[in-house]
Amino acid sequence: MTSKRPPADPDSTIVGVATGTPDGGVAIVRLSGPEARSLVEPLIGTLPAPRLLARRRVLDSSDGSPDDALVVWMPGPRSFTGEDVVELHVHAGARNVGRIVAALQERGARAAGPGEFTRRAFEHGRLSLEQAEGIAALIAARTSAAIDQARRLVAGELGREVEALRSAVGDLRAEIEANLDFPEDVTDGDVSRWREELLRHEATARAWLGSFAAGQRARERARVVIAGPPNAGKSALFNALLGRSRAIVSPTPGTTRDYVEAELELDGLEVVLVDTAGLRQATSDSIEHEGIGRSREQIAGAELVVWLEPADTATADAPPSSGLRVESKRDLGRRRPDWLGVSAQTGEGLAALRSEIAGLVRGDETAPWIGLARHRDRASDAAAAMASASSLLATAAPLELVAFELGVAERQLAEITGRDALGPIGEDVLARIFSQFCIGK
Ligand SMILES: Nc1nc2c(ncn2[C@@H]2O[C@H](COP(=O)(O)OP(=O)(O)OP(=O)(O)O)[C@@H](O)[C@H]2O)c(=O)[nH]1
Ligand SMILES: [Mg+2]
């Protein structure tokens, strides 16, 4: 990181519970700041040597009954926050942990606000902004794909890509600015070279934007809806994919009335699989009619529709134009040779269907860089600034204006990582990001 900013109140030592609820056997009380050592030692005796876990008694009898703890001392700057950090691994339970935190507060520690530990890590240059957001995303991740994406953020993969683009845009701006005083020396060749370079940079940012939708799907479970005519074997396929008998299967058309959903992992991708009532035109049954209405709603809100028709009957209505076409009951025949064929009875084609669904839901993951809306917005603004720099160059506008737009693009990119080469990141941006963290992070 090129420059660092001190925490808002660098002299304060903060305390928070680093472990979450519900309680496990152990809770970790974490202190960070210049007084970490002097606040803790009266409670536990002398700290152990740095980065070694040692057993200590916490609190003496004047504070209530003592607790046994494992203590680790991580003097700054080689700690998570970059400050002096002490962690007390104590017995969990709100009352026990609360009295230890209270004893530390009585001695002068301040209760940490949301995300304050991570914010201090950022302010001391231990983490860039997008890495800090990656930690929050990792903790919030609900699918394995989301974990993978968050891990890549924490590892700094996005940060490196963004920094590379920012410095390339910065080099181009510097070159253009070098010509500001002698615009008559600028040749057509220079201009077309600059435009080419700029188009390449803009394409890089646009590719990140394209990856946002894939990232969104990775974090939220996509809804995969099985639909088709009654008796197609939708419920049987639903059960076969789940590996358990969740929905009722019967030879009576119109068996499934309301939709049924279940969570399912397909090739590492977690989705919500939905079984629906079979679609047909004429039905006097008002419950079935209502069910069909719900099927249509599910289809409309689906990430992917698996359209099912059975191999033993001809297509009645035209199948929907989008979605994955699958022929069921392949054990009974083969009527639509170019459709993916499955049999819930024999298991034929199920593995292929699983990977086909996962592939379609994942989409193009060749550049799964951007997963968070804030990063998408900054990349989008950077791409827009580069686009307007391009058109300024194309219309032979003054080079000052081109350089200005490039500066805007650099600034937008810098806000992704928080590397404040172009001046510090606004307090409003930081406050918004860190307030989304929990206390103790
Ligand atoms: N031979 C064979 N029969 C199947 C297969 N899948 C389903 N069936 C039979 O087809 C009939 C209808 O199956 P369901 O899964 O209830 O059909 P559905 O599409 O859910 O029907 P609705 O809920 O009425 O819309 C049942 O008798 C199943 O046993 C299959 O792969 N092979
Ligand atoms: Mg059914």
Side-chain angles (χ1 to χ4, degrees):
M1 199 146 309
T2 41
S3 70
K4 298 165 191 170
R5 44 196 275 160
D9 56 346
D11 298 335
S12 72
T13 295
I14 53 175
V15 62
V17 183
T19 39
T21 46
D23 288 327
V26 169
I28 300 177
V29 175
R30 176 160 61 176
L31 281 124
S32 178
E35 307 288 321
R37 172 177 211 145
S38 58
L39 285 171
V40 165
E41 283 193 331
L43 295 192
I44 64 155
T46 326
L47 281 168
R51 281 170 282 278
L52 288 178
L53 210 57
R55 191 167 163 182
R56 293 284 186 274
R57 303 212 102 186
V58 186
L59 300 181
D60 56 30
S61 37
S62 66
D63 294 296
S65 29
D67 189 17
D68 271 327
L70 289 173
V71 177
V72 62
W73 159 232
M74 290 166 282
R78 278 182 56 205
S79 69
F80 174 67
T81 57
E83 302 174 331
D84 286 355
V85 170
V86 179
E87 283 180 7
L88 306 173
H89 301 216
V90 302
H91 290 106
R95 290 299 282 269
N96 189 47
V97 175
R99 72 198 179 104
I100 293 166
V101 170
L104 289 162
Q105 284 180 268
E106 269 163 35
R107 286 168 170 80
R110 176 168 68 68
E116 203 170 354
F117 289 98
T118 315
R119 179 163 179 169
R120 286 186 174 202
F122 165 70
E123 282 164 347
H124 287 111
R126 303 289 293 173
L127 283 176
S128 56
L129 208 46
E130 96 289 351
Q131 285 177 308
E133 291 169 300
I135 292 179
L138 186 62
I139 294 167
R142 289 174 60 232
T143 66
S144 40
I147 288 177
D148 191 48
Q149 199 173 46
R151 260 199 40 250
R152 296 176 64 175
L153 259 188
V154 175
E157 286 188 32
L158 176 66
R160 280 190 289 279
E161 294 275 315
V162 169
E163 274 301 285
L165 182 61
R166 185 175 71 82
S167 95
V169 174
D171 290 347
L172 182 60
R173 179 173 55 89
E175 189 183 338
I176 290 174
E177 280 175 348
N179 286 283
L180 286 183
D181 293 335
F182 310 100
E184 62 281 3
D185 292 349
V186 174
T187 65
D188 288 350
D190 290 333
V191 171
S192 66
R193 187 167 48 78
W194 291 340
R195 286 192 63 200
E196 262 169 43
E197 204 171 313
L198 205 45
L199 283 178
R200 236 187 11 259
H201 297 334
E202 190 192 334
T204 303
R206 300 244 178 246
W208 297 340
L209 294 178
S211 73
F212 180 77
Q216 190 84 0
R217 284 194 292 275
R219 277 195 324 286
E220 292 160 15
R221 293 164 206 258
R223 296 182 74 80
V224 175
V225 174
I226 304 176
N231 238 13
K234 299 178 298 299
S235 301
L237 178 63
F238 178 79
N239 290 342
L241 288 171
L242 285 184
R244 63 192 154 95
S245 179
R246 170 76 181 77
I248 300 170
V249 172
S250 100
T252 314
T255 297
T256 304
R257 297 303 187 93
D258 202 350
Y259 68 90
V260 181
E261 60 179 61
E263 290 175 0
L264 174 66
E265 181 156 341
L266 294 167
D267 290 355
L269 182 81
E270 286 176 50
V271 301
V272 176
L273 190 66
V274 185
D275 178 28
T276 59
L279 302 180
R280 58 176 161 185
Q281 298 298 337
T283 171
S284 52
D285 182 333
S286 66
I287 299 176
E288 188 182 358
H289 188 78
E290 169 69 22
I292 289 173
R294 292 185 182 199
S295 296
R296 296 198 193 282
E297 281 168 20
Q298 288 300 313
I299 290 170
E303 192 76 46
L304 175 69
V305 174
V306 174
W307 180 259
L308 203 63
E309 292 191 24
D312 61 346
T313 32
T315 298
D317 296 318
S321 53
S322 67
L324 177 61
R325 294 167 182 207
V326 178
E327 185 168 72
S328 58
K329 309 192 191 181
R330 268 282 166 91
D331 54 294
L332 298 181
R334 184 186 173 91
R335 195 177 287 261
R336 302 164 188 83
D338 49 335
W339 289 27
L340 191 69
V342 298
S343 166
Q345 197 116 306
T346 65
E348 176 197 337
L350 291 181
L353 177 60
R354 279 196 183 89
S355 66
E356 188 71 21
I357 293 174
L360 287 170
V361 170
R362 277 206 177 92
D364 176 17
E365 276 199 340
T366 49
W369 290 111
I370 299 272
L372 302 185
R374 191 184 76 84
H375 301 164
R376 175 204 53 195
D377 293 346
R378 297 290 70 79
S380 164
D381 291 350
M386 287 189 257
S388 65
S390 269
S391 48
L392 287 167
L393 270 178
T395 55
L399 291 179
E400 282 89 346
L401 298 182
V402 178
F404 175 80
E405 288 295 344
L406 293 181
V408 171
E410 281 177 81
R411 176 74 209 179
Q412 295 298 328
L413 294 171
E415 279 210 4
I416 294 179
T417 60
R419 288 178 170 85
D420 46 0
L422 307 164
I425 301 301
E427 174 57 31
D428 52 332
V429 176
L430 295 180
R432 211 165 35 242
I433 291 171
F434 288 103
S435 66
Q436 290 161 13
F437 281 62
C438 298
I439 289 173
K441 274 187 209 163

